[in-house]
Amino acid sequence: MSKKNPMRIIFYALTFLLAVIILLPFFFVVMNSFKSYSEIIINASALPESPSFANYLKGIEKVHFWRLLGNTVFITAISIVGMIVFGSMAAWKIARVKSRTSSIMYATYILAMIIPFQSIMIPLVVVAAKLNMLHAVGLSILYWGFGMPLTIFLYKGYFNYVPRSLEESAKLDGCNDFILFWKILFPQLRTMTSTIVILQSLWVWNDFLLPFLILIKRNHHTIPLGINSFFGIYKAQWDMALPILVMGMIPLIIGFLAAQKHIVRSIASSGLKG
Amino acid sequence: MSSIMQNRARKSFWLFTIFPYAIFLIFVLFPFFIGGYYSLTDWNGISSKMNIVGLKNYISLFQNDERFLNSLFFTSRFTLTACIIVNFIGLMYAVLFHRSTKWNSTLRVVLVLPNVIGGIILGFVWQFIFSQALPSLGGLFESISWLGNEDSAFWAVLIVFVWQQAGYVMLIYIASMNSIDEQLFEAAQIDGASAFKQFTHVTLPLIVPAFTVSIFIVLVNSFRLFALIFSLTGGGPYGSTESLAINIYNEAFLYQNYGMGSAKAVEFFIFVAILSLMQVKFTQKREVEL
């Protein structure tokens, strides 16, 4: 007891310090986002003299933040819904049908997972331009293609744990495949569906290079693109840049804290399976 | 009868799989192969003229593209260093926080937090930290121009990368540690093994699979690094932090050399494929040993 207590206290103190160090960058950015330009430049570690939201209003207007947010939500939603709907259906057939076609299909999905995006991007831009897809909806469709390998991989693995007896008895009742899948099987996939939604949303929401190449219209830009072009124009205008960065992080931090248990579990399981 | 059934099953198979597969073929596999063709040409991405130049792009890549070779060197050095440091720190975190107490779960959330924010935003956040916040602390922090010279810029990128990835790697190690049978520790305790001995003789050997997984995840993540560097240093100063991914991007979209850029992209794919094959080999070997 007497030996354990001091050890515990040291553990708490040191790990608390660690947490502070990890969070320090966020703290600096948030604190300085309430200061004027000269205050930031003179001393970035001083507390704001008269904290104000004026920079936020300016920054939000400059980058059209609400439009960026809307576009990001829109693109993420369309992308994820497509991945889940088409991916779960395809994975079911790939998991259950034992045929050459089925295994070739699966093998190409899996092999494609090692292709880095930079090895595809040059011709992809040409193809997407030819097919008139350089806009938000086009981008979401591209995400269906790029997200499919991981989605299929995770769902297919999960189907090994879904008993076939469910499907067989439904088939005997004369259920057709669509109804069987959506009414009976899809609800069984809940855990995996939430994992996939989390992993793919984090990716699509934060992704930079693909939308950077595809979204040629400014008014289709997502949050990462909007922030990047702001920095391209106003190099070190920290008084406006910091509020924009904070605004860019808020949706992610809220989402993360709200679903932290699921997110931590999803990230951990993605590592073990990948 | 059975042929009708088979026919119906086949139809239903295609009905369920064809659409996503078509999208995948058109936008992932097809461009991948077209890229191989571009790499044999001198196309600039705009003109209608496209001459086949054979392997010329690949040869000049290694003979007179110093910038490419530099980025290859930077990427390799960065990948190796990052892999060691991230895994070491991630493992330390896991040792500290693998028990599920309230305090530990809070700490885990803090450590994973940087990982859910994208590279572009983090790069800009740290640009501020390196250029304004750290210098304002004075003393030693003030004397280093983090993003201004080549040596420190390497470490600046590395610090941000470690800060972002260590929490993620921790989760993989924790998942692996928590799957170890508690009885093994009890047995070790009865035999009088110290906490350190338990760690080196029970925990470490049993989390070897997690090592393989997370080492290769970090290898591939750092080898492909783009957004973080793009926003933090832009590849500078003097191209010293230009990763392969940024070099390819610049070649194709800044200098409009689609042919040359594609040759680099193919080269890049080969590197990543080798890393992935190594992972498969390692995993198989381990399974045989077990």
Side-chain angles (χ1 to χ4, degrees), chain A residues 22 93 108 119 177 206 267 271, chain B residues 12 21 103 116 163 168 213 265:
Chain A
I22 295 292
K93 284 297 175 185
T108 45
S119 301
D177 271 1
N206 285 319
I267 295 177
Chain B
S12 149
Y21 200 55
W103 176 261
V116 302
W163 176 76
Y168 170 60
V213 170

Side-chain angles (χ1 to χ4, degrees), chain A residues 24-98:
Chain A
L24 211 55
F26 297 122
F27 171 74
F28 267 114
V29 167
V30 172
M31 181 180 78
N32 283 287
S33 71
F34 295 106
K35 292 170 27 177
S36 70
Y37 182 75
S38 55
E39 263 186 282
I40 299 171
I41 297 300
I42 290 167
N43 186 359
S45 42
L47 288 170
E49 269 165 31
S50 54
S52 106
F53 273 100
N55 293 338
Y56 277 81
L57 298 178
K58 253 198 307 190
I60 285 171
E61 199 193 300
K62 268 265 157 28
V63 295
H64 302 280
F65 182 78
W66 303 117
R67 190 174 74 197
L68 297 178
L69 180 67
N71 291 340
T72 313
V73 170
F74 175 79
I75 290 167
T76 307
I78 305 271
S79 308
I80 297 327
V81 169
M83 284 181 214
I84 296 295
V85 169
F86 302 123
S88 63
M89 284 168 62
W92 177 45
K93 284 297 175 185
I94 290 174
R96 293 297 191 242
V97 174
K98 302 274 174 266

Side-chain angles (χ1 to χ4, degrees), chain A residues 12 15 22 25 45 93 101 105 108-109 114 118-120 122-124 133 142 177 206 208 212 231 256 260 267 271, chain B residues 12 14 16 21 24 27 31 97 103 109 113 116 118 120 124 126 136 163 168 213 245 249 258 265 269 272 276:
Chain A
Y12 285 128
T15 53
I22 295 292
S45 42
K93 284 297 175 185
T101 341
M105 211 178 251
T108 45
Y109 277 131
I114 63 172
Q118 281 82 7
S119 301
I120 311 177
I122 299 168
L124 176 71
M133 293 182 66
L142 294 183
D177 271 1
N206 285 319
F208 175 69
F212 191 51
F231 274 83
F256 177 61
Q260 35 135 323
I267 295 177
Chain B
S12 149
W14 283 111
F16 273 64
Y21 200 55
F24 164 76
F27 297 115
F97 305 121
W103 176 261
V109 167
L113 184 65
V116 302
I120 283 289
F124 287 130
W126 278 87
S136 77
W163 176 76
Y168 170 60
V213 170
Y249 172 84
Y258 274 36
F269 165 71
V272 174
S276 306

Side-chain angles (χ1 to χ4, degrees), chain B residues 134 199 220 234 262 271:
Chain B
L134 286 182
F199 178 70
V220 172
S262 296
F271 293 140

